[in-house]
């Protein structure tokens, strides 16, 4: 029996929304349930305050520095600790990437992203 993986994605940019839609149509993800919503990390926090976290959470942000870390802290307060989190951001910085991995973020991708 195959388990259905749940994915929740919260985007900010139209480019990311298009990449997420392309993911939804990819045959490799046919068994996944992909919910796509606008609003980025802020919307994810509002949504997860009253809903269960998905197996995989994809969030996009344009925040940097302390505002970015504060947003991730707010997300951590409402996100299930067993959920995998992928963050799409604006910084392409290896030190930030390592810091996020140490915090438990599964992956960090600098924007723009593609479905692959």
């Amino acid at each position: 029996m195959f388990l259905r993986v749940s994915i929740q994605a919260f985007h900010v940019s139209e480019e990311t929304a298009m990449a997420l839609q392309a993911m939804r149509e990819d045959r490799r993800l046919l068994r996944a349930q992909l919910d796509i919503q606008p609003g980025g990390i802020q919307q994810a926090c509002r949504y997860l305050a009253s809903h269960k976290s998905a197996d995989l959470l994809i969030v996009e942000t344009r925040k940097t520095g302390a505002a970015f870390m504060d947003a991730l802290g707010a997300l951590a307060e409402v996100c299930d600790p067993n959920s995998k989190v992928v963050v799409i951001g604006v910084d392409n910085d290896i030190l930030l990437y390592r810091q996020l991995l140490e915090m438990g973020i599964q992956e960090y991708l600098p924007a723009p992203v593609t479905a692959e």
Side-chain angles (χ1 to χ4, degrees):
M1 174 181 256
F2 292 100
L3 295 176
R4 189 171 178 106
V5 175
S6 62
I7 304 170
Q8 292 169 324
F10 297 87
H11 65 87
V12 176
S13 69
E14 188 61 32
E15 294 85 6
T16 299
M18 290 174 14
L20 292 167
Q21 186 59 39
M23 278 178 54
R24 178 185 278 156
E25 296 167 4
D26 189 315
R27 67 176 182 79
R28 294 171 290 183
L29 292 175
L30 286 178
R31 294 191 186 271
Q33 176 186 349
L34 176 55
D35 178 35
I36 303 170
Q37 297 184 40
I41 290 180
Q42 295 77 17
Q43 178 59 25
C45 290
R46 285 190 292 274
Y47 180 85
L48 295 174
S50 60
H51 295 85
K52 183 178 185 262
S53 296
D55 300 313
L56 174 62
L57 184 64
I58 302 170
V59 293
E60 181 181 24
T61 185
R62 291 193 175 136
K63 294 180 184 272
T64 60
F68 176 50
M69 292 301 164
D70 290 345
L72 286 179
L75 181 64
E77 291 179 16
V78 294
C79 184
D80 184 312
N82 295 318
S83 293
K84 305 291 185 202
V85 179
V86 173
V87 178
I88 301 167
V90 294
D91 290 327
N92 189 359
D93 179 0
I94 190 65
L95 295 177
L96 172 64
Y97 177 77
R98 290 178 181 159
Q99 181 181 10
L100 293 174
L101 292 181
E102 288 176 10
M103 292 171 57
I105 300 297
Q106 191 70 27
E107 187 64 67
Y108 175 81
L109 303 169
V113 296
T114 63
E116 290 78 33

